[in-house]
Amino acid sequence: MLDPMLQRTLDILGTRDASPPFLPLAFRFFASFGLLVLHLALPPEGRASGPGENLYLAAMALLLAEAVWEAALGLRRRSLLFPTPPLPWIRWNLALDLALVTLVIAYQGVGQERFSTLYIFPVLASAFYLGTAEIVWVGVGSSLTHILLVLGFTTGLLPPFGLSGEGLDLDGARLAYLLGIASLQVFGTTLVVVLIRRNLERLSTDLSASEATVDELSALHRRVVDSMSSGLVTLDREGRITSANPAARAILGCPVPLGAPIQAILPLGDPLPAQRGREHRFELILPGKDRTRRILGGHLASLRGAGGQETGQLLLFQDLTELKALEERTRISERLAAIGQLAAGLAHELRNPLASISGCVQLLHRREAPEEVQARVLGILDRETQRVGAIVSDFLDFARPEPPPGTVLSLPRVLEEARASWEMDPRTGGLPLAVQEAPQVFLRADSVGLHRVLMNLLSNARKAVKDVPAPQVSLAAWASGGWIQLAVEDNGCGMSTEQLSRLFVPFSGSFEEGSGLGMSLVYKFTEAMGWRIEVQSRQGDGTRVQIFLPECPLEEGLA
């Protein structure tokens, strides 16, 4: 069985994600251990020998023991082999590293300039843990230590130690070169390290500011998402759930497991519609508690990354149950209001002829009434009865279900039948109808309904030009791009803006003649056929009514 501390050390050394080691301690540990083992392993003739060898080995062993003690302390307290200590211990470790370098150079010979390069290591190590001012002091201390060490052995102030002391022959030029090169290396390294440290500090400040901004934006994003009343769910490219806000769980009334397919909680189909590259709107009916149902509505869109590529889907939905119920209540109220207005208009239109009929009946009850009065009364009764019949007939047509799909009709024949009916109507009083020659195309419609639409429009045009000195009424048709355009135009009285806004409302007509349902029937028929109607009118400047309907293919017309 291994010692627990040793086992933990081996585990930490084998861990990939271990934190970066404290460089001064790690350097001293491995350098002192390696130099000590190397010195003892080499034969006497192959290693540096000289005065103070035992002192050198003892000092090296002491530095190694101190490094082992610090490493064990960090392992026990923080479960790290070389943890970064507080600032005072950082300074202590750098001082010990400087002492280790000085010990090695003193024993191996101060005259060997290659060893002086070791003084740059404390400077390099200080860049990760000290400020710029302290880094400069480390560089100054390293350079002064080397100068004093060399001068001490050169002048004989220090006793011989290893390869330094006896036999050391450094003339003035050699000494100046040795000290200059070492100082230049140390101070050059110090300058580079200071510049790097300042850049690191600036980058650290910028990074901290960026992290703070990112944290604020992330917190704001989270608050926005969590505060939404709509459900928000994100999906990956395979349709699996990657996130969901609290509103999504509240609306669905169940947990939203991450990694589960969205079809497990919402029947959106497989594959998802948004995977085809377009936004998809949906409305779903889900069973609720106690035989109730819930209506969800929303849309599914592609979620794209920074490069514009699709990375998943975004699902946004709401509970529309109460809104749909409110819409249904509103729709019922509107229907009841429309029925009430229709009933009031119908009663108003029937009141006048019924009053005339009632008066005529009272006159007929008087036996002393002359025959000419009775004949006049009978004429009024017939006229008002026909008027009531026309109102009731138009009202029944207005209330009739949607017209049948119809048959294929020839456009010139439709216009010719409208012209014939116009000329046979005694109410036109000989007013000519200008009919433009129609193209030989076909259309699909209910022949009776289309004829009634045209005659209603022509009847309104006839009424509009009643008091115009030079009345003009025209009927035209064009065909272009698969569409047919029918137009009825007059130069009559026209309509005001208010009259135009209420044109298709039942019993809102301004003419004395008619039932007041003509334009309502026109609008109802065109809408039922899927056509489009446009009205252009200005008071005193006439009216133009256009109907746009699709052209029937020639093959279907010939069949």
Side-chain angles (χ1 to χ4, degrees):
M1 295 292 291
L2 293 175
D3 181 82
M5 183 174 292
L6 179 58
Q7 182 64 50
R8 186 163 43 171
T9 303
L10 294 176
D11 293 340
I12 292 175
L13 288 175
T15 302
R16 295 182 179 180
D17 298 330
S19 61
F22 179 50
L23 292 181
L25 178 58
F27 168 75
R28 191 167 69 256
F29 178 86
F30 291 110
S32 59
F33 177 78
L35 290 172
L36 190 60
V37 172
L38 181 63
H39 187 86
L40 296 175
L42 291 175
E45 62 274 9
R47 65 191 180 194
S49 300
E53 181 177 359
N54 292 332
L55 178 61
Y56 170 75
L57 294 176
M60 193 67 68
L62 184 62
L63 290 172
L64 175 60
E66 195 280 339
V68 171
W69 174 76
E70 278 198 52
L73 191 64
L75 188 63
R76 183 166 54 251
R77 291 181 177 178
R78 300 169 59 180
S79 297
L80 294 175
L81 188 58
F82 300 117
T84 302
L87 184 59
W89 279 93
I90 293 176
R91 294 167 179 162
W92 166 253
N93 277 270
L94 289 173
L96 291 179
D97 286 352
L98 185 59
L100 174 62
V101 171
T102 302
L103 178 65
V104 172
I105 293 176
Y107 188 77
Q108 298 295 332
V110 294
Q112 302 184 45
E113 58 191 46
R114 65 178 182 274
F115 288 110
S116 62
T117 307
L118 294 175
Y119 275 110
I120 70 174
F121 181 81
V123 178
L124 293 174
S126 65
F128 297 95
Y129 312 104
L130 301 180
T132 54
E134 290 186 293
I135 293 174
V136 172
W137 280 112
V138 172
V140 171
S142 299
S143 180
L144 287 178
T145 302
H146 180 256
I147 293 174
L148 293 175
L149 182 66
V150 173
L151 292 178
F153 283 110
T154 303
T155 59
L157 293 177
L158 294 176
F161 184 70
L163 300 181
S164 300
E166 295 180 357
L168 184 61
D169 184 15
L170 294 175
D171 55 12
R174 173 68 177 168
L175 180 62
Y177 175 77
L178 179 63
L179 296 179
I181 287 297
S183 299
L184 181 62
Q185 290 176 344
V186 172
F187 284 119
T189 304
T190 303
L191 177 61
V192 173
V193 168
V194 167
L195 293 177
I196 294 175
R197 180 63 183 179
R198 287 183 176 178
N199 288 331
L200 288 176
E201 289 177 351
R202 185 173 65 254
L203 291 175
S204 177
T205 302
D206 295 343
L207 181 60
S208 298
S210 300
E211 288 178 348
T213 303
V214 170
D215 291 342
E216 291 178 1
L217 291 176
S218 178
L220 176 61
H221 170 265
R222 176 50 56 189
R223 290 196 300 270
V224 169
V225 171
D226 291 346
S227 301
M228 291 176 60
S229 58
S230 300
L232 180 64
V233 177
T234 57
L235 313 173
D236 61 15
R237 299 187 64 179
E238 285 71 32
R240 294 188 296 265
I241 300 173
T242 56
S243 68
N245 68 340
R249 293 186 286 269
I251 293 174
L252 294 173
C254 64
V256 182
L258 301 184
I262 187 61
Q263 291 85 357
I265 57 176
L266 287 176
L268 293 176
D270 190 12
L272 295 175
Q275 290 177 340
R276 304 187 183 104
R278 294 180 298 177
E279 182 175 324
H280 171 70
R281 296 186 178 275
F282 64 89
E283 190 170 300
L284 303 173
I285 299 178
L286 302 179
K289 298 179 180 179
D290 300 329
R291 297 183 180 180
T292 59
R293 65 174 188 172
R294 290 183 300 130
I295 304 176
L296 302 185
H299 64 272
L300 186 67
S302 296
L303 188 63
R304 302 191 178 277
Q309 71 280 7
E310 184 175 339
T311 59
Q313 286 82 39
L314 181 68
L315 177 63
L316 187 66
F317 58 93
Q318 292 179 322
D319 189 345
L320 304 180
T321 306
E322 295 184 2
L323 179 61
K324 291 293 183 180
L326 178 61
E327 289 180 353
E328 183 64 23
R329 291 194 295 271
T330 303
R331 196 157 38 242
I332 293 174
S333 299
E334 291 176 349
R335 289 175 182 173
L336 293 175
I339 292 174
Q341 293 177 357
L342 194 61
L346 182 61
H348 175 74
E349 293 295 327
L350 291 176
R351 182 184 297 120
N352 293 333
L354 289 177
S356 299
I357 293 174
S358 176
C360 292
V361 170
Q362 292 177 7
L363 286 175
L364 290 176
H365 283 166
R366 299 176 184 178
R367 298 180 180 178
E368 66 276 6
E371 291 184 2
E372 61 272 13
V373 173
Q374 293 182 1
R376 182 181 177 186
V377 167
L378 291 175
I380 295 175
L381 280 174
D382 182 62
R383 186 185 70 236
E384 294 301 329
T385 302
Q386 292 181 4
R387 183 179 176 187
V388 171
I391 294 174
V392 173
S393 178
D394 286 347
F395 183 77
L396 292 176
D397 290 339
F398 181 76
R400 184 185 301 169
E402 306 294 337
T407 58
V408 177
L409 306 175
S410 171
L411 181 59
R413 183 173 181 179
V414 170
L415 268 60
E416 184 59 33
E417 290 178 354
R419 183 212 296 268
S421 297
W422 171 274
E423 293 176 351
M424 295 299 295
D425 191 348
R427 295 173 298 178
T428 59
L431 176 65
L433 173 65
V435 180
Q436 178 181 323
E437 184 178 354
Q440 188 62 44
V441 295
F442 298 90
L443 58 102
R444 178 177 290 277
D446 175 45
S447 58
V448 177
L450 179 57
H451 184 76
R452 182 179 296 158
V453 165
L454 293 177
M455 295 314 299
N456 273 326
L457 296 178
L458 292 173
S459 177
N460 285 344
R462 173 180 58 79
K463 300 171 190 175
V465 299
K466 181 178 180 181
D467 299 326
V468 176
Q472 295 178 0
V473 178
S474 64
L475 174 62
W478 301 271
S480 176
W483 287 87
I484 298 174
Q485 178 181 348
L486 297 173
V488 175
E489 189 172 2
D490 65 72
N491 63 341
C493 60
M495 289 179 285
S496 64
T497 304
E498 183 180 356
Q499 288 175 321
L500 195 59
S501 64
R502 296 179 54 83
L503 178 62
F504 301 115
V505 178
F507 304 116
S508 62
S510 57
F511 298 120
E512 295 181 0
E513 179 187 341
S515 63
L517 287 170
M519 291 306 294
S520 300
L521 291 170
V522 170
Y523 182 80
K524 183 173 183 291
F525 182 82
T526 55
E527 284 294 307
M529 296 298 298
W531 302 348
R532 179 165 58 93
I533 183 171
E534 292 182 0
V535 180
Q536 300 170 351
S537 181
R538 188 165 55 184
Q539 199 162 16
D541 199 22
T543 301
R544 178 183 176 89
V545 181
Q546 301 177 87
I547 298 176
F548 300 87
L549 59 150
E551 180 181 344
C552 184
L554 180 61
E555 302 80 15
E556 189 176 344
L558 295 176

